[in-house]
């Protein structure tokens, strides 16, 4: 759909300590970022490292692919929903808590939620849900957002957010962000 294609993500532990995990995803060519989607019917297909693994992975791949194709409607549907500034701020604040919040939802980083809404490319300057969501997702995952905080002695300290490199955190954040996008699309469609 446009610059977005379906993908299947295979998560595996090289030492066989965990099962293969197949997940549905979307790949946005424009920014070369991978989006892990959360579909309503299946979360992930897990295949244990025993028996006919190859056939099970192939079967699971087809099941996940069918679900991934359903997620391809999101770019088109979400592009039809224009977000006002307050709605964009809601998406950014939710993403901010997801990325930097502790167990109680408290955030201590000097990075501000508004920074998640700053596009990295000229083509991403739009106010539709799909574009706002992608800009937010890219800023959450890629990091590089700057802020000025205070050290233990109260002196100003520059900092830059780190990229999310761990596969588990990447998948967790992407799935949660996907749910935020879906819920915002449902709210916009209901109006």
């Amino acid at each position: 759909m446009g610059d977005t294609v379906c993908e299947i993500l295979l998560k595996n532990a090289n030492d066989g300590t965990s099962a293969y995990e197949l997940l549905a995803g979307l790949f946005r060519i424009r920014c070369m970022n991978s989006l892990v989607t959360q579909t309503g019917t299946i979360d992930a297909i897990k295949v244990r490292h025993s028996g006919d693994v190859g056939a099970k992975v192939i079967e699971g791949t087809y099941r996940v692919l069918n679900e991934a194709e359903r997620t391809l409607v999101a770019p088109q549907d979400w592009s039809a929903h224009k977000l006002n500034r307050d709605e964009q701020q809601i998406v950014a604040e939710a993403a901010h808590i997801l990325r930097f919040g502790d167990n109680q939802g408290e955030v201590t980083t000097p990075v501000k939620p508004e920074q998640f809404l700053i596009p990295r490319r000229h083509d991403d300057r739009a106010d539709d849900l799909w574009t706002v969501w992608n800009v937010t997702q890219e800023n959450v995952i890629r990091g590089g957002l700057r802020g000025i905080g205070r050290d233990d002695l109260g002196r100003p300290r520059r900092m830059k957010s780190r990229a999310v490199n761990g596969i588990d955190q990447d998948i967790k954040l992407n799935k949660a962000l996907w749910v935020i996008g879906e819920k915002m699309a449902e709210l916009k469609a209901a109006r």
Side-chain angles (χ1 to χ4, degrees):
M1 185 70 201
D3 67 346
T4 306
V5 295
C6 287
E7 72 176 351
I8 296 175
L9 305 163
L10 174 63
K11 179 182 162 190
N12 183 30
N14 292 335
D15 61 2
T17 57
S18 67
Y20 287 109
E21 192 171 353
L22 297 160
L23 304 123
L26 296 177
F27 186 79
R28 188 169 181 235
I29 296 166
R30 179 180 305 165
C31 54
M32 302 294 288
N33 65 334
S34 186
L35 321 169
V36 180
T37 63
Q38 176 72 39
T39 59
T41 55
I42 62 170
D43 181 22
I45 304 294
K46 294 187 178 188
V47 178
R48 292 178 44 111
H49 289 269
S50 62
D52 188 9
V53 175
K56 290 177 187 175
V57 169
I58 291 170
E59 177 187 334
T61 301
Y62 282 113
R63 286 183 53 207
V64 171
L65 183 59
N66 289 335
E67 289 299 317
E69 288 175 351
R70 289 181 349 122
T71 64
L72 266 180
V73 300
Q76 184 176 7
D77 290 350
W78 294 10
S79 293
H81 301 301
K82 299 297 180 200
L83 299 183
N84 63 40
R85 195 68 192 152
D86 290 337
E87 292 165 333
Q88 292 177 33
Q89 189 65 29
I90 289 168
V91 172
E93 287 175 8
H96 189 251
I97 292 170
L98 278 171
R99 177 64 175 93
F100 298 117
D102 62 14
N103 291 339
Q104 285 74 38
E106 298 296 322
V107 178
T108 58
T109 181
V111 173
K112 304 294 182 216
E114 302 80 43
Q115 291 176 268
F116 286 136
L117 298 172
I118 299 171
R120 295 174 186 235
R121 281 168 299 289
H122 182 72
D123 291 348
D124 284 338
R125 297 186 186 278
D127 61 356
D128 63 275
L129 175 57
W130 181 246
T131 304
V132 169
W133 186 88
N134 271 280
V135 167
T136 302
Q137 186 268 356
E138 184 175 15
N139 283 320
V140 166
I141 300 298
R142 294 240 170 124
L145 304 176
R146 298 180 185 274
I148 298 178
R150 300 269 176 200
D151 66 11
D152 294 339
L153 300 174
R155 297 177 298 207
R157 181 181 66 88
R158 294 176 192 223
M159 64 83 56
K160 183 169 76 168
S161 64
R162 295 180 182 171
V164 175
N165 293 320
I167 187 70
D168 290 329
Q169 186 182 19
D170 184 294
I171 289 170
K172 180 181 175 184
L173 285 169
N174 267 296
K175 284 183 176 182
L177 289 168
W178 187 260
V179 171
I180 291 168
E182 281 184 325
K183 295 302 180 189
M184 183 60 78
E186 287 173 16
L187 286 171
K188 297 297 285 183
R191 289 185 183 176

